Amino acid sequence: MKSLTERIYKTGGRNNYGHISARYIGGGHKQRYRVIDFRRTKDGVPARVASIEYDPNRSARIALLNYADGERRYILAPDGLTVGQKVMSGTDAEISAGNCLPLHAIPLGTNLHNVELLPGRSSRVARSAGSFCQLMAKEGDYAQLRLPSGEVRKFHVNCRAVVGQVGNIEHENVSYGKAGRRRWKGRLGSVRGVAMNPVDHPMGGGEGKSSGGRHPCSPWGKITKGLKTRRRKLSDSLIVRRRKK
């Protein structure tokens, strides 16, 4: 649907001064952004799945919905969604793949995706191919979800989520096969620090091949493996169990 697409302006990894701020980004095939409905606010209006399409901007497939009132929207296609299937949003919707409900209306143990972090703020969690959260518990105004990372976190019961697992589960098994295919995706080849000269990287130089001689770091000397970079956030109080514990 051309009317549901927008133009993408590529930066090539440069900031507003023209300096590289994100390395190894550039090139890539021209794409248009598909506008996805992450809010699912058309409550009580049934929609029929018109098609399931490829989206170059994400790992998941997208589904085109034809609503009963004539409007059309794209959503993330959950696993098992088929053309011709009916989907709904709202508290009264059934617990079936593709339907969107608030957490207080979803039974425990249900697999969910496309979850809102804050009520009415558009979904943020579990949107890539094959990912899902599991509703673990409800207590008062908060529900506990186990995220794809293994972290258990509290969400307000008025946050919306879509039932099911994101489709295109086989995406993690895809092999690019050659460097050129990554170039089509807009990713340039990354050069190892130990292969550079000392002027370009702290791990560069040395007679013959070297293994670095120091802890792995970035070109600016920042440790890259194991250094904790998360500062204390307000959301710490909502985390029940960390992903690495």
Side-chain angles (χ1 to χ4, degrees):
M1 286 292 298
K2 194 74 178 288
S3 60
L4 294 177
T5 64
E6 294 177 351
R7 183 178 175 183
I8 292 180
Y9 293 89
K10 295 192 175 183
T11 63
R14 270 75 172 173
N15 60 15
N16 58 329
Y17 293 108
H19 301 158
I20 294 177
S21 56
R23 296 185 297 161
Y24 311 127
I25 294 177
H29 200 284
K30 183 186 284 190
Q31 302 162 339
R32 286 187 68 83
Y33 178 74
R34 278 74 167 160
V35 179
I36 310 295
D37 179 19
F38 288 118
R39 296 174 68 91
R40 298 293 297 272
T41 52
K42 288 184 75 72
D43 291 356
V45 183
R48 187 182 66 85
V49 179
S51 62
I52 294 178
E53 304 175 12
Y54 169 78
D55 187 349
N57 306 294
R58 64 192 72 251
S59 57
R61 299 285 180 261
I62 57 175
L64 179 63
L65 300 186
N66 289 346
Y67 283 91
D69 60 2
E71 189 175 355
R72 292 181 172 184
R73 292 186 183 181
Y74 277 123
I75 64 166
L76 297 184
D79 189 40
L81 193 74
T82 57
V83 175
Q85 187 174 328
K86 295 287 180 68
V87 296
M88 281 271 288
S89 298
T91 310
D92 301 327
E94 296 180 5
I95 306 299
S96 63
N99 287 355
C100 181
L101 303 90
L103 292 177
H104 66 76
I106 300 175
L108 297 181
T110 307
N111 289 343
L112 309 169
H113 68 277
N114 223 22
V115 188
E116 290 180 337
L117 273 176
L118 296 170
R121 268 273 189 101
S122 179
S123 65
R124 296 286 189 274
V125 180
R127 306 195 320 193
S128 61
S131 61
F132 66 93
C133 302
Q134 189 173 26
L135 184 58
M136 306 290 289
K138 297 180 194 176
E139 186 176 350
D141 289 337
Y142 287 90
Q144 292 184 15
L145 269 68
R146 187 173 69 220
L147 307 185
S149 63
E151 179 177 294
V152 177
R153 191 185 190 281
K154 290 180 182 179
F155 291 77
H156 198 278
V157 290
N158 289 335
C159 289
R160 290 182 171 231
V162 182
V163 179
Q165 179 180 5
V166 184
N168 195 23
I169 299 174
E170 298 297 319
H171 174 76
E172 64 179 356
N173 300 325
V174 173
S175 172
Y176 282 109
K178 62 179 183 178
R181 188 171 172 190
R182 287 185 63 83
R183 302 294 290 253
W184 300 339
K185 295 282 187 178
R187 302 294 297 182
L188 307 182
S190 61
V191 181
R192 294 168 299 132
V194 293
M196 298 183 187
N197 293 321
V199 69
D200 299 315
H201 202 282
M203 297 168 66
E207 294 296 325
K209 289 190 175 180
S210 65
S211 58
R214 58 168 292 171
H215 195 83
C217 62
S218 71
W220 305 277
K222 196 170 184 67
I223 295 175
T224 55
K225 292 185 178 179
L227 180 69
K228 288 184 170 59
T229 57
R230 178 184 168 92
R231 297 180 179 176
R232 193 184 185 289
K233 295 187 177 181
L234 295 175
S235 61
D236 280 356
S237 60
L238 298 175
I239 298 173
V240 178
R241 189 176 74 228
R242 295 273 181 196
R243 63 190 176 96
K244 289 187 176 179
K245 291 185 179 178

Short mmCIF file of all heavy atoms in Angstrom, two decimals, residues 4 6-7 9 26 40 62-63 87 90 95 97 137 149 166 168 204 212 217 226 231 233 235:
data_model
loop_
_atom_site.label_atom_id
_atom_site.label_comp_id
_atom_site.label_asym_id
_atom_site.label_seq_id
_atom_site.Cartn_x
_atom_site.Cartn_y
_atom_site.Cartn_z
N LEU A 4 0.53 3.86 2.71
CA LEU A 4 0.97 3.53 4.06
C LEU A 4 2.50 3.49 4.15
O LEU A 4 3.05 2.84 5.04
CB LEU A 4 0.39 2.19 4.50
CG LEU A 4 -1.13 2.15 4.68
CD1 LEU A 4 -1.59 0.74 5.04
CD2 LEU A 4 -1.58 3.13 5.75
N GLU A 6 6.37 5.77 3.80
CA GLU A 6 7.01 7.08 3.88
C GLU A 6 8.43 6.97 3.37
O GLU A 6 9.01 5.89 3.35
CB GLU A 6 7.04 7.58 5.34
CG GLU A 6 5.69 7.87 5.93
CD GLU A 6 5.77 8.28 7.38
OE1 GLU A 6 6.87 8.17 7.95
OE2 GLU A 6 4.74 8.70 7.93
N ARG A 7 9.01 8.12 3.01
CA ARG A 7 10.38 8.13 2.56
C ARG A 7 11.34 8.03 3.75
O ARG A 7 11.06 8.55 4.83
CB ARG A 7 10.66 9.43 1.80
CG ARG A 7 12.06 9.50 1.23
CD ARG A 7 12.28 10.77 0.45
NE ARG A 7 13.67 10.88 0.03
CZ ARG A 7 14.17 11.93 -0.63
NH1 ARG A 7 13.41 12.95 -0.94
NH2 ARG A 7 15.43 11.95 -0.98
N TYR A 9 15.18 8.88 5.04
CA TYR A 9 16.38 9.67 4.78
C TYR A 9 17.56 8.97 5.46
O TYR A 9 17.61 8.87 6.68
CB TYR A 9 16.21 11.09 5.31
CG TYR A 9 15.17 11.88 4.58
CD1 TYR A 9 13.84 11.85 4.98
CD2 TYR A 9 15.49 12.63 3.45
CE1 TYR A 9 12.86 12.55 4.31
CE2 TYR A 9 14.54 13.35 2.77
CZ TYR A 9 13.22 13.30 3.20
OH TYR A 9 12.26 14.01 2.52
N GLY A 26 26.49 2.49 5.73
CA GLY A 26 26.56 3.21 4.46
C GLY A 26 26.04 2.34 3.33
O GLY A 26 25.93 1.13 3.46
N ARG A 40 -2.69 0.04 17.99
CA ARG A 40 -3.88 -0.83 17.91
C ARG A 40 -5.05 -0.23 18.71
O ARG A 40 -5.59 -0.84 19.64
CB ARG A 40 -3.55 -2.23 18.43
CG ARG A 40 -2.47 -2.99 17.66
CD ARG A 40 -2.91 -3.36 16.25
NE ARG A 40 -4.05 -4.26 16.26
CZ ARG A 40 -3.94 -5.60 16.30
NH1 ARG A 40 -2.74 -6.16 16.35
NH2 ARG A 40 -5.00 -6.37 16.27
N ILE A 62 4.92 -8.30 7.93
CA ILE A 62 3.82 -7.41 8.31
C ILE A 62 2.54 -7.86 7.62
O ILE A 62 2.59 -8.51 6.56
CB ILE A 62 4.14 -5.94 7.97
CG1 ILE A 62 4.44 -5.78 6.48
CG2 ILE A 62 5.29 -5.43 8.80
CD1 ILE A 62 4.64 -4.33 6.05
N ALA A 63 1.41 -7.55 8.24
CA ALA A 63 0.11 -7.95 7.71
C ALA A 63 -0.71 -6.69 7.43
O ALA A 63 -0.74 -5.77 8.26
CB ALA A 63 -0.62 -8.85 8.70
N VAL A 87 -9.24 -10.24 12.96
CA VAL A 87 -8.56 -9.82 14.19
C VAL A 87 -9.32 -8.63 14.78
O VAL A 87 -10.03 -7.91 14.08
CB VAL A 87 -7.09 -9.43 13.94
CG1 VAL A 87 -6.29 -10.63 13.47
CG2 VAL A 87 -6.97 -8.30 12.95
N GLY A 90 -9.26 -4.48 21.72
CA GLY A 90 -10.16 -4.09 22.79
C GLY A 90 -10.28 -5.14 23.87
O GLY A 90 -9.87 -6.29 23.71
N ILE A 95 -8.95 -14.37 22.96
CA ILE A 95 -7.53 -14.65 23.17
C ILE A 95 -7.05 -15.52 22.02
O ILE A 95 -7.01 -16.75 22.09
CB ILE A 95 -7.29 -15.35 24.52
CG1 ILE A 95 -7.91 -14.53 25.65
CG2 ILE A 95 -5.80 -15.54 24.76
CD1 ILE A 95 -7.34 -13.14 25.80
N ALA A 97 -4.33 -15.37 18.26
CA ALA A 97 -3.17 -14.69 17.66
C ALA A 97 -3.60 -13.48 16.85
O ALA A 97 -4.49 -13.57 16.00
CB ALA A 97 -2.39 -15.66 16.79
N ALA A 137 2.41 -13.21 36.17
CA ALA A 137 1.60 -12.97 37.37
C ALA A 137 0.93 -11.61 37.28
O ALA A 137 1.34 -10.76 36.48
CB ALA A 137 2.48 -13.04 38.62
N SER A 149 14.69 -11.61 26.79
CA SER A 149 16.04 -11.70 27.34
C SER A 149 16.10 -12.58 28.58
O SER A 149 17.19 -12.91 29.05
CB SER A 149 16.55 -10.31 27.70
OG SER A 149 15.75 -9.74 28.71
N VAL A 166 5.71 -13.28 17.56
CA VAL A 166 5.99 -12.64 16.27
C VAL A 166 6.40 -13.70 15.25
O VAL A 166 7.13 -14.64 15.57
CB VAL A 166 7.10 -11.59 16.41
CG1 VAL A 166 7.32 -10.86 15.10
CG2 VAL A 166 6.75 -10.59 17.50
N ASN A 168 7.78 -15.26 11.34
CA ASN A 168 9.08 -15.39 10.68
C ASN A 168 10.14 -15.91 11.66
O ASN A 168 11.24 -15.37 11.76
CB ASN A 168 9.52 -14.05 10.08
CG ASN A 168 10.65 -14.19 9.09
OD1 ASN A 168 10.86 -15.27 8.50
ND2 ASN A 168 11.41 -13.14 8.89
N GLY A 204 46.29 -1.67 17.70
CA GLY A 204 46.96 -1.82 16.41
C GLY A 204 48.46 -1.96 16.54
O GLY A 204 49.05 -1.74 17.60
N GLY A 212 46.63 -8.36 20.44
CA GLY A 212 46.16 -7.13 21.07
C GLY A 212 47.06 -6.65 22.17
O GLY A 212 47.45 -5.49 22.23
N CYS A 217 39.25 -3.05 23.47
CA CYS A 217 38.73 -1.70 23.69
C CYS A 217 38.31 -1.10 22.36
O CYS A 217 38.58 -1.64 21.29
CB CYS A 217 39.78 -0.82 24.36
SG CYS A 217 41.27 -0.59 23.36
N GLY A 226 32.36 -6.57 28.88
CA GLY A 226 32.13 -6.75 30.31
C GLY A 226 31.99 -5.49 31.12
O GLY A 226 31.59 -5.55 32.29
N ARG A 231 23.52 3.18 33.86
CA ARG A 231 23.42 4.01 35.06
C ARG A 231 22.07 3.76 35.72
O ARG A 231 21.17 3.21 35.11
CB ARG A 231 23.57 5.48 34.69
CG ARG A 231 24.92 5.81 34.10
CD ARG A 231 25.02 7.28 33.76
NE ARG A 231 26.34 7.60 33.20
CZ ARG A 231 26.68 8.79 32.75
NH1 ARG A 231 25.81 9.78 32.78
NH2 ARG A 231 27.89 9.01 32.26
N LYS A 233 18.49 3.86 36.75
CA LYS A 233 17.33 4.43 36.08
C LYS A 233 16.09 4.26 36.97
O LYS A 233 16.06 3.41 37.86
CB LYS A 233 17.09 3.74 34.74
CG LYS A 233 18.19 3.96 33.74
CD LYS A 233 17.80 3.40 32.39
CE LYS A 233 18.87 3.68 31.35
NZ LYS A 233 18.50 3.15 30.03
N SER A 235 13.44 2.97 36.10
CA SER A 235 12.81 1.68 35.81
C SER A 235 13.41 0.53 36.60
O SER A 235 12.91 -0.58 36.56
CB SER A 235 12.92 1.38 34.31
OG SER A 235 14.27 1.29 33.92
#
